[in-house]
Amino acid sequence: MASEASEKPDISGISKIIAKSRPNIATYEYLYRKLHANPELSLQEEATAGVVASYLRSLKHIDVRTNIGGHGVVGIIKNGTGKTVLLRADMDALPIKEQTGLEFASTKRMVDVADGVERPVMHACGHDMHTTSLLAAGELLNSCRESWSGTVVLLFQPNEERGAGAQAMVDDGLYDEGKHAVPKPDVVLGSHVMPMRAGLVNTRKGVFNSTAVSYRVTLFGRGGHGSRPHTTVDPVVLAASTVMKLQTIVSRETNPQEAVVVTVGASQAGAVENVISGEAKLLVNTRAFSAEGRDRVRVAMERIINAECQAAGSPRPPLIEEISSFPLLYNDETTTEFISQAMKDHFGNNFSPNAPISMGSEDFGNLAISTPSCFWNYGGIDPQKWDDVEKRGKLAEEIPGTGASLARKFASVYPIVLLARNPENYTPIVDEINHSGGKALGISTNVTDAKSVNAAFEQIQAKLPGMGLATAVYNVGGEFKKTPFLELSEEAFTTGYETNAKGAFLFSRNALPHLLSSVPKSEHPPTLIFTGATASVKGSPKCASYATGKFALRALSQSLAREFGPEGVHVSHVIVDGVIESPETRDWDIGNGKPDALLSSKAIAEEYWHLYTQHRSCFTYEIDLRPWVEKW
């Protein structure tokens, strides 16, 4: 509660207080549905703010203040002496058409004040849940005032999606004695609902979310008629060249072990096909996990844009405007340690202090520039639905691929390490295994970069010292998409080949020494498994890049099997000859018109376990996981 941060809270007492003072949930279920069905865009949250203010005023002892930094609302609960704690929720929605099929789904459309365009609106980021949860928390805290002392500030923020609402509230005099006079907090707390099982909560010390900056870039050309391009400076061509060159900031200027993002989300120029316009506009979003990374990306972006304009002969320099900025979200170590202990004691194994760092962004930090703060995530998926899917073994199949099922199977016996380029690809299963009493680690790795792979295995040794390697599975797609051959770019072809063949080479080079050292003490033969696929067997149409990479992978596995089999390491090549069953793949035609099997990832995991427990062999073992296979 609002007590001294140096004191260890009486968590058993807090749990009892929560159980005793919990508000009528039906009231807030109704409110949530109402908010979800009536979302409002950033800067236009007037009705939502009115609902919030009305609910707060219906409770005794809450001082309500409105119209802060736009439609911001604050409720202040003063309850004697003690610390001041600010709890924050955001209220705005996104310009997205809802297609959930819910009975209370939004059908609302609004004219966006930012550009005058009418758009559909949806609470796609959970701010309706955030608002409802904070109102419920406010009622709970207000009803158990005899159990705590201090001041609680309930802050409902507008315009979070565009990264400006928190700062607008501060700039409007949120904490100024002569303006809104909201008590300055000793600590600022916030949270976000996530696609996790309801009841799960996680946070972490230090960096939690990335910093993000968005730009509007205007490229100036010289317009003219499409029949006389030689008299123009075509901004469309200039924009295309600029977009492609910006991609090299990540691929060629950034250390592979450092995460940055450069996204060109929109490009606009001209209106008709036979007129060359005079300018083009790009909307660019950049993200990084440090201020240094953010600034380095901006410098590189400005250099590239100016150089491309100069190379194209632009009549004037480009205009680069910053249109939104999110600060780095950093959890104060001392505050987060205190919060983590409280949550651990209250939520037990449903709490994790090792939340993944996210490339998502929040302007929450602008409310706490010089104040300690902590941010956490909580699950929003109905436990019954989650558990039902889990019992049917379908969690992994909801997300295409075999990685999660393999991890679950092997985690029943061994600690598991998952390597993936993006943390979101391994975080859910890592958290699930750890919450279930197993041990799992996730490491961000670019499999086509030698330094990144080497660093990943060094991390494994550091985090699991003295442990042998039982099984190493290379389960990577690599350009698994259908592209007509004559439309296949050299870059896409190379990506498919390198992700499969080069990635497998780098992975094997690091894994094999560990597998060899495990031979004398392993109950089962240490095993290296390569995942093959349909394209590697029968050359499915329009899968040239994928098929080439998989054929190379097959050849590599056969060579390694013959070399390392006699030394006690079992090398296997698994032909997953069919389609992994998932909502995204059920309608795929991989078999050139012939019926394709829909394979269960759980069944594949069982086969991999069977491979691991086989007797030692110097021959590659190929499984045909499919009713029929065309043999070469």
Side-chain angles (χ1 to χ4, degrees), residues 467-481:
M467 299 194 72
L469 180 58
T471 304
V473 181
Y474 192 75
N475 180 50
V476 175
E479 284 299 302
F480 188 22
K481 56 187 177 183

Side-chain angles (χ1 to χ4, degrees), residues 135-441:
L135 285 170
E139 181 179 346
L140 187 152
L141 289 167
N142 199 44
S143 66
C144 65
R145 295 165 58 88
E146 73 283 354
S147 301
W148 61 275
S149 64
T151 299
V152 172
V153 176
L154 309 171
L155 184 145
F156 299 84
Q157 178 199 313
N159 197 18
E160 185 278 335
E161 295 294 355
R162 296 173 185 172
Q167 192 61 51
M169 294 185 77
V170 173
D171 292 344
D172 191 32
L174 175 69
Y175 303 127
D176 290 354
E177 291 286 346
K179 192 71 183 288
H180 298 291
V182 172
K184 191 170 182 180
D186 296 294
V187 65
V188 178
L189 306 177
S191 60
H192 203 296
V193 65
M194 298 295 285
M196 308 186 302
R197 186 184 189 277
L200 296 182
V201 183
N202 63 32
T203 189
R204 69 177 297 116
K205 298 176 184 177
V207 176
F208 194 87
N209 276 8
S210 75
T211 174
V213 186
S214 292
Y215 305 90
R216 180 188 299 110
V217 178
T218 305
L219 306 173
F220 298 100
R222 184 166 55 246
H225 196 273
S227 64
R228 295 173 57 79
H230 57 289
T231 66
T232 71
V233 175
D234 191 339
V236 174
V237 175
L238 171 57
S241 177
T242 301
V243 170
M244 295 305 296
K245 192 67 174 178
L246 286 173
Q247 309 309 307
T248 64
I249 296 175
V250 175
S251 66
R252 290 297 177 269
E253 296 191 33
T254 302
N255 187 320
Q257 297 183 52
E258 178 184 2
V260 301
V261 171
V262 178
T263 299
V264 181
S267 176
Q268 189 277 325
V272 295
E273 78 282 359
N274 65 340
V275 175
I276 296 173
S277 64
E279 66 179 40
K281 292 185 182 293
L282 304 177
L283 296 180
V284 185
N285 176 258
T286 66
R287 296 172 185 266
F289 284 139
S290 67
E292 295 76 16
R294 175 198 63 201
D295 296 342
R296 188 167 57 251
V297 169
R298 175 170 184 138
V299 169
M301 183 189 73
E302 291 176 342
R303 185 191 73 241
I304 287 170
I305 292 171
N306 280 288
E308 289 295 321
C309 288
Q310 185 175 7
S314 296
R316 51 185 289 199
L319 176 62
I320 303 175
E321 304 170 276
E322 182 179 305
I323 56 176
S324 71
S325 177
F326 292 82
L328 187 71
L329 181 49
Y330 190 93
N331 280 346
D332 175 74
E333 283 84 354
T334 302
T335 301
T336 305
E337 175 65 29
F338 182 79
I339 294 293
S340 294
Q341 184 59 54
M343 287 187 170
K344 175 65 176 176
D345 291 342
H346 180 67
F347 292 107
N349 291 333
N350 286 330
F351 171 72
S352 170
N354 300 308
I357 301 175
S358 171
M359 265 296 176
S361 297
E362 267 279 355
D363 69 343
F364 165 81
N366 287 331
L367 295 169
I369 296 300
S370 59
T371 304
S373 63
C374 178
F375 200 85
W376 61 86
N377 293 328
Y378 59 92
I381 297 178
D382 180 81
Q384 185 175 349
K385 292 181 179 179
W386 179 281
D387 293 343
D388 177 62
V389 172
E390 187 174 39
K391 287 177 183 177
R392 291 185 287 109
K394 296 289 185 179
L395 279 179
E397 293 164 23
E398 297 295 330
I399 304 172
T402 61
S405 284
L406 290 172
R408 286 191 189 92
K409 181 63 181 178
F410 284 83
S412 64
V413 178
Y414 300 115
I416 295 294
V417 180
L418 292 96
L419 309 181
R421 185 186 296 266
N422 299 313
E424 54 263 35
N425 290 338
Y426 58 69
T427 296
I429 186 61
V430 167
D431 285 347
E432 178 190 328
I433 290 171
N434 288 329
H435 285 310
S436 300
K439 183 175 180 60
L441 304 173

Side-chain angles (χ1 to χ4, degrees), residues 553-609:
L553 190 62
R554 187 183 192 189
L556 176 63
S557 67
Q558 291 175 336
S559 176
L560 295 180
R562 284 158 176 78
E563 180 177 354
F564 292 95
E567 298 185 50
V569 174
H570 188 182
V571 180
S572 298
H573 176 252
V574 181
I575 302 172
V576 182
D577 195 17
V579 178
I580 310 301
E581 184 180 8
S582 74
E584 293 187 25
T585 59
R586 288 193 179 105
D587 296 326
W588 286 10
D589 174 19
I590 299 296
N592 197 20
K594 297 181 180 180
D596 274 286
L598 291 178
L599 305 174
S600 162
S601 62
K602 187 174 182 180
I604 294 173
E606 293 294 334
E607 291 289 352
Y608 278 43
W609 179 259

Side-chain angles (χ1 to χ4, degrees), residues 468-527:
L469 180 58
T471 304
V473 181
Y474 192 75
N475 180 50
V476 175
E479 284 299 302
F480 188 22
K481 56 187 177 183
K482 300 183 75 172
T483 305
F485 181 77
L486 295 180
E487 298 175 16
L488 183 64
S489 68
E490 180 180 352
E491 181 180 1
F493 182 86
T494 301
T495 298
Y497 179 80
E498 286 197 347
T499 303
N500 284 288
K502 181 181 177 182
F505 164 75
L506 295 173
F507 180 83
S508 302
R509 190 172 63 177
N510 279 275
L512 280 165
H514 297 286
L515 291 168
L516 287 167
S517 67
S518 298
V519 170
K521 53 189 176 183
S522 177
E523 176 184 359
H524 302 294
T527 305

